[in-house]
Amino acid sequence: MLSLLLLCLALAPAPTLAQDPTPALVLAPAQDLCKPETSNAYKVRISVKTALGDQAYEWNESETFLFRATIAFAMRQHFDTETYNVSSVLVCNETRRVSFWFVVTSPEDQSVLVDKDQVERAIRKYRHRINNVFLLTDRTLEFLGIPPTFATPVNPDTPAWLIVFGVVIGLVCAGIVALLVSSVLQRKRKKSGTAGEEEEGKPVKVENGIACENLEGVHNGAFTDDDRFTKM
Amino acid sequence: MADSGLSVDTKREERPKWDNKVQYLLTCIGFAVGLGNVWRFPYLCQIYGGGAFLIPYLIALVFEGLPLLYLELAIGQRLRMGSIGVWNAITPFLGGVGIASMIVSFLVGLFYNTILAWVLWYFFHSFQDPLPWAECPINANHTGYVTECVESTPVNYFWYRQTLNISPNIETSGSLQWWIVVCLGTAWLIVYICFIRGIETIGKAVYVTATFPYLVLTIFLVRALTLPGASTGLVYLFTPDWEKMKNPQMWLDAATQIFFSLSLAFGGLISFSSYNPETNNCERDAVLVGVINSATSIYASIPIFAILGFKANSNLISCLEGNILALTNAFNIGDQNITVDNYDQWFEDLNGTYPDKVFSLNLKHCSLQTFLQESASGTGLAFIVFTEAVKEMPGSQVWAVLFFIMLFSLGLSSMFGNLEGILSPLRELHMVPSWIPKELFTAFICMLSFLVALIFTMSSGNYWLEIFNSYVGSIPLLIIAFFEIIAVVYVYGMKRFGDDILFMTGRQPNIFWKACWMVISPVMLIVVLVAYVAIQVQVEPSYAAWNPDFEGFPQFDVQPYPQWVFAICILLSTVPVISIPLVALYHFILWAKRRRSSQRHRNRAIPYDNGGYVMHS
């Protein structure tokens, strides 16, 4: 019995960063499940410094723990069951980049992995919540293989440009109408003014077809540059 | 034939007058200073080795630009008529020059206002956050960004797809894009309201449209100089590359740039100066307008290049950051351990240790020079390069709004000159019955121009606009200018013109002006014209199409013009100037008929027909 236990302890893999204290016998097969490049594993890339600059936090064990808890939360919410635990989420192959692989084990049977599609659906649904836990965005908390969700484009009832256009065209049309009206009024005033004059001075002295008032005479186009000579 | 009765002002109707000298100068400056000063001159400076380009440019200004400008202002002020009246008065044989000017003004006005419509479209869209050309739109089923946008850039996508909705080639006309039609209508309405009472309203409008661009350029200058990378751009612009001066194309481009920049041969300048009092000093005006135009070009290129330097710098940083991300992810290096500053060192280390892996990443080669050399002129500069720079600047909406208002007022003041070059000759042709008020006639011309310009609102509109720009706004103007100078110097007579100038300015033109008018400028014009045609003929005319289905997309799909399009190009170059020989021929036939009939009369011993005065038709 003792030798059997000793054998099992010897076979148990070295403790990794993301190991929680569960009996080695149960853990050994489960930890094997988390392998990079397998069909049900997702790679995660985290860029805290890019996202937060000076206010970046260190990525350490506790952050990984939080990550696992968040994924478990997403799985719980999506499948509407309370059986997912932090222990259901396994993390491996952490690098300095801060990137790692994770898998989710089924709550009923720890040796069975939850399907990739289902994990994806859960994560997509709660992506926003997951991002906010870490103060990151879709681009700085990347799940390779899950495309970032796009905010629904805001479609206002009136596109903004039509409003500006409306203002400009309103002003221009108002201006045109105002100027045209004032031109018409000006012309009417001139007409009534000259009409008044004509009624008074009917017998106008005329000589050679030129009214005496036009003392300047009619310009005779046959002479050129006569202005030059008349100016004193 | 030479001593025709030069009518000064025989009409009962009083010729309109400028309220004051400032309005006249601002109108001329506004006409000369246009979009080309902002988006063509800096480009030419860039490709022809920076400071070195200034030399042929200034030579062309002094020997070609200023003499022609002075000539147009003087002849307009002396004869006090628009372009048709002036040339008809000098000699009816060259009356076709005025008609050619009018046709060119009309055709140029069509596409110029379409550019203003595009500027308005961008202006309307600058009031959004984020700017619509900053990000790609999401596709219909919300799974990703629109492919066309991802393959090119958001700025390109916004210009080619959301603004122009451009077709893949010029044969595919597509339909009228309603949003551009709306903007075009707005642009013509704005032109109409400024022009509604002729120079009375223009004179007030130019106080704003001619001065506002300078204010915005100064604001941009101050802002641009504080941006990172600005000094790189400026150094790149002004470092002269003297080798380029051996390139004859550079001299040709300098000459044509001066010529088109001063808006000569449109007839607008002649009309504007005809509203002046007779004893105005037009020599000083010409020198002032010419120098201010060139100074504006140089002044505008400073903020433009500072901003282009900033853009090149931003592009370099994005490029490096893309590479950094690739390296960080592939080698699992800590986040932000590789930065822009230590990138080179890290790259060398990694490439030394794992060359295969680094090679497989397909890293881009990021060089500041490459980004600086991405030059653009024309609409490419304003709507692609500059908008890309603006979206990186903090407070981008403000800068975008300012920039597009500046472009609009630059273009609007040039449109005044174009419209004047159309309306003034039409009135002199007596094609307009006098009972039609000028407001109505102006409205009619604006409406007609708007309807014809709807060609440019089709999907293939941009391709047609490029055609109009290259073929109408080039060779016909050179030909018209050549005939103008010949008409004044050799037909009207240098002596008579000199006496006119003595009357107007108080002294005879000095030897410099006389030498330019009689020899230097006509020779330069002929050389430029011949060289221009020679170069155009050598190259097969082609255009750059935006075709998302093209293999090399987002590169342009360079296609040759189809035969029928090329025929239209030739037509556009020749139809405006064909009026010159036609009118000359028409008058020659009349003259020949009169001579024959007068000879017949002489044979019947009837009093001698004194050819001393010619009857105007």
Side-chain angles (χ1 to χ4, degrees):
Chain A
M1 184 69 172
L2 196 67
S3 55
L4 200 67
L5 210 62
L6 278 170
L7 195 65
C8 289
L9 278 170
L11 285 173
T16 60
L17 284 167
Q19 205 165 29
D20 49 2
T22 47
L25 256 165
V26 181
L27 193 60
Q31 198 51 38
D32 283 343
L33 291 169
C34 175
K35 280 202 203 83
E37 315 280 350
T38 47
S39 54
N40 285 322
Y42 269 109
K43 183 168 182 183
V44 177
R45 243 188 237 141
I46 296 185
S47 320
V48 183
K49 285 207 193 109
T50 313
L52 299 172
D54 287 333
Q55 295 164 348
Y57 50 80
E58 259 317 301
W59 188 267
N60 52 27
E61 259 185 70
S62 310
E63 301 284 349
T64 316
F65 179 78
L66 181 57
F67 177 79
R68 293 165 65 208
T70 318
I71 297 292
F73 157 77
M75 298 296 289
R76 278 194 180 194
Q77 292 283 75
H78 180 64
F79 290 106
D80 210 12
T81 146
E82 302 231 327
T83 47
Y84 284 99
N85 247 313
V86 178
S87 54
S88 321
V89 182
L90 305 169
V91 164
C92 50
N93 277 57
E94 286 198 50
T95 65
R96 277 180 308 143
R97 166 74 177 80
V98 191
S99 70
F100 48 81
W101 291 81
F102 77 93
V103 290
V104 182
T105 57
S106 165
E108 294 93 34
D109 186 357
Q110 288 262 330
S111 52
V112 172
L113 293 178
V114 176
D115 226 14
K116 196 169 186 174
D117 294 330
Q118 301 198 336
V119 176
E120 177 172 338
R121 254 180 259 139
I123 291 178
R124 285 188 88 157
K125 197 167 169 190
Y126 293 95
R127 188 70 184 265
H128 189 61
R129 297 291 301 273
I130 300 174
N131 286 350
N132 276 352
V133 166
F134 295 98
L135 307 171
L136 297 173
T137 64
D138 278 0
R139 253 172 263 290
T140 40
L141 172 53
E142 283 178 80
F143 288 89
L144 291 175
I146 303 179
T149 42
F150 293 98
T152 15
V154 178
N155 275 330
D157 291 328
T158 4
W161 77 272
L162 277 179
I163 300 175
V164 185
F165 161 72
V167 169
V168 168
I169 204 103
L171 287 173
V172 170
C173 287
I176 291 179
V177 165
L179 283 171
L180 284 176
V181 164
S182 75
S183 292
V184 166
L185 287 177
Q186 237 179 38
R187 221 163 271 148
K188 269 209 194 121
R189 244 181 284 135
K190 233 194 277 177
K191 240 185 262 176
S192 61
T194 52
E197 281 172 18
E198 274 172 17
E199 281 168 3
E200 288 170 11
K202 257 211 176 138
V204 177
K205 279 205 176 158
V206 169
E207 176 93 19
N208 276 351
I210 307 169
C212 280
E213 289 136 28
N214 298 350
L215 293 171
E216 299 148 32
V218 177
H219 184 87
N220 185 348
F223 294 100
T224 63
D225 303 330
D226 50 348
D227 292 319
R228 211 171 358 136
F229 299 107
T230 52
K231 279 210 163 33
M232 298 293 193
Chain B
M1 156 177 117
D3 225 68
S4 45
L6 294 165
S7 61
V8 175
D9 207 348
T10 51
K11 296 198 190 89
R12 289 277 172 212
E13 187 189 307
E14 211 185 72
R15 193 163 185 79
K17 280 199 297 271
W18 295 109
D19 286 346
N20 54 48
K21 184 75 181 284
V22 174
Q23 278 187 6
Y24 164 64
L25 279 177
L26 283 179
T27 309
C28 286
I29 291 172
F31 185 27
V33 173
L35 296 170
N37 294 67
V38 166
W39 71 29
R40 178 115 178 110
F41 177 79
Y43 165 75
L44 288 175
C45 252
Q46 185 184 6
I47 62 174
Y48 288 126
F53 182 70
L54 288 177
I55 295 183
Y57 183 72
L58 290 173
I59 292 178
L61 172 70
V62 166
F63 288 106
E64 187 195 348
L66 289 179
L68 278 167
L69 185 60
Y70 187 12
L71 186 119
E72 287 206 1
L73 293 184
I75 202 79
Q77 191 176 302
R78 183 70 193 94
L79 299 181
R80 315 188 66 65
M81 283 187 286
S83 57
I84 286 189
V86 154
W87 307 115
N88 251 332
I90 291 181
T91 160
F93 283 81
L94 284 178
V97 175
I99 297 181
S101 285
M102 182 178 74
I103 298 178
V104 168
S105 286
F106 176 69
L107 291 174
V108 170
L110 289 179
F111 76 79
Y112 208 82
N113 219 20
T114 311
I115 299 179
L116 292 188
W118 292 337
V119 170
L120 271 184
W121 167 259
Y122 270 80
F123 169 70
F124 292 151
H125 277 84
S126 303
F127 290 94
Q128 295 172 11
D129 181 33
L131 290 171
W133 54 84
E135 292 166 348
C136 277
I138 298 172
N139 63 18
N141 42 7
H142 294 232
T143 52
Y145 296 119
V146 174
T147 11
E148 193 181 340
C149 186
V150 170
E151 284 172 10
S152 55
T153 62
V155 171
N156 272 319
Y157 180 75
F158 184 74
W159 169 235
Y160 285 108
R161 188 56 52 211
Q162 291 177 309
T163 307
L164 299 175
N165 196 15
I166 205 164
S167 57
N169 52 46
I170 199 169
E171 292 108 321
T172 326
S173 297
S175 56
L176 296 182
Q177 313 303 312
W178 67 268
W179 55 92
I180 298 294
V181 173
V182 156
C183 290
L184 186 66
T186 315
W188 276 110
L189 277 177
I190 296 179
V191 169
Y192 176 60
I193 193 183
C194 292
F195 214 95
I196 202 168
R197 284 208 208 133
I199 64 168
E200 194 187 318
T201 39
I202 288 183
K204 313 270 185 321
V206 287
Y207 281 122
V208 173
T209 61
T211 54
F212 187 70
Y214 291 99
L215 177 66
V216 175
L217 278 174
T218 312
I219 296 176
F220 263 103
L221 181 69
V222 171
R223 179 66 187 109
L225 289 176
T226 60
L227 290 169
S231 45
T232 334
L234 284 175
V235 161
Y236 181 69
L237 168 69
F238 286 116
T239 314
D241 181 5
W242 305 110
E243 284 300 307
K244 293 256 170 66
M245 284 187 65
K246 296 184 194 153
N247 180 5
Q249 178 82 16
M250 178 199 207
W251 294 84
L252 178 65
D253 274 337
T256 47
Q257 172 61 16
I258 269 290
F259 185 80
F260 303 138
S261 180
L262 285 170
S263 306
L264 298 166
F266 280 92
L269 287 169
I270 299 179
S271 293
F272 284 144
S273 71
S274 70
Y275 303 127
N276 271 332
E278 282 212 332
T279 52
N280 177 49
N281 186 353
C282 47
E283 176 179 8
R284 206 182 47 197
D285 296 342
V287 173
L288 203 62
V289 171
V291 166
I292 288 181
N293 180 54
S294 294
T296 308
S297 292
I298 298 175
Y299 185 59
S301 52
I302 303 176
I304 297 277
F305 266 92
I307 290 179
L308 288 182
F310 162 71
K311 173 187 161 296
N313 198 40
S314 305
N315 283 356
L316 177 72
I317 292 181
S318 314
C319 180
L320 284 177
E321 281 177 354
N323 284 358
I324 289 173
L325 192 64
L327 284 175
T328 314
N329 287 343
F331 290 97
N332 284 321
I333 305 166
D335 187 31
Q336 293 293 330
N337 276 8
I338 313 182
T339 59
V340 176
D341 300 317
N342 58 24
Y343 169 77
D344 290 320
Q345 199 191 330
W346 269 100
F347 180 72
E348 271 176 43
D349 286 342
L350 290 171
N351 205 14
T353 348
Y354 307 99
D356 296 327
K357 194 168 180 188
V358 168
F359 181 72
S360 70
L361 290 174
N362 280 332
L363 296 176
K364 284 187 261 189
H365 181 66
C366 302
S367 138
L368 189 61
Q369 275 298 103
T370 330
F371 289 121
L372 276 174
Q373 277 163 5
E374 275 170 10
S375 55
S377 75
T379 52
L381 179 74
F383 299 124
I384 297 180
V385 172
F386 210 80
T387 45
E388 194 174 324
V390 153
K391 75 178 187 192
E392 308 284 340
M393 294 162 67
S396 6
Q397 281 76 11
V398 172
W399 304 111
V401 167
L402 275 179
F403 179 66
F404 291 117
I405 295 188
M406 175 187 81
L407 283 188
F408 190 75
S409 50
L410 279 172
L412 190 64
S413 48
S414 298
M415 273 306 291
F416 295 156
N418 274 327
L419 213 56
E420 179 69 22
I422 307 171
L423 290 171
S424 180
L426 278 178
R427 271 194 293 263
E428 278 160 10
L429 277 178
H430 300 292
M431 295 178 72
V432 189
S434 49
W435 52 265
I436 293 187
K438 69 175 168 216
E439 289 90 345
L440 197 62
F441 183 59
T442 312
F444 172 69
I445 294 289
C446 286
M447 174 65 85
L448 180 70
S449 304
F450 166 69
L451 289 174
V452 178
L454 287 177
I455 311 172
F456 302 119
T457 61
M458 298 188 304
S459 285
S460 54
N462 191 35
Y463 302 132
W464 286 109
L465 195 132
E466 291 295 319
I467 289 179
F468 270 66
N469 194 14
S470 326
Y471 290 94
V472 171
S474 56
I475 294 179
L477 289 174
L478 289 168
I479 297 179
I480 293 172
F482 177 72
F483 277 104
E484 282 187 1
I485 210 171
I486 296 295
V488 170
V489 170
Y490 293 106
V491 175
Y492 187 70
M494 192 68 234
K495 181 172 181 317
R496 194 146 49 126
F497 191 53
D499 291 339
D500 285 342
I501 290 184
L502 170 67
F503 164 61
M504 288 191 292
T505 68
R507 59 179 176 281
Q508 287 268 353
N510 60 31
I511 188 74
F512 167 73
W513 295 118
K514 285 203 173 132
C516 283
W517 285 327
M518 295 181 76
V519 178
I520 304 181
S521 300
V523 165
M524 272 184 91
L525 275 175
I526 289 272
V527 168
V528 167
L529 181 62
V530 167
Y532 199 88
V533 172
I535 289 186
Q536 296 282 51
V537 164
Q538 277 174 14
V539 176
E540 191 200 351
S542 58
Y543 66 105
W546 179 263
N547 185 3
D549 298 322
F550 179 55
E551 293 119 21
F553 188 77
Q555 301 291 333
F556 286 108
D557 177 17
V558 179
Q559 300 231 353
Y561 283 126
Q563 288 295 328
W564 63 276
V565 170
F566 191 59
I568 293 182
C569 299
I570 302 291
L571 268 179
L572 282 174
S573 284
T574 51
V575 158
V577 292
I578 212 144
S579 53
I580 302 180
L582 279 182
V583 168
L585 192 66
Y586 168 72
H587 280 286
F588 180 73
I589 293 176
L590 278 184
W591 176 75
K593 262 201 221 152
R594 249 197 319 269
R595 255 194 84 171
R596 231 174 298 140
S597 67
S598 78
Q599 266 177 354
R600 251 183 285 130
H601 282 170
R602 220 178 298 153
N603 291 342
R604 294 189 213 149
I606 278 174
Y608 172 62
D609 178 8
N610 183 356
Y613 56 91
V614 173
M615 289 177 286
H616 285 297
S617 53

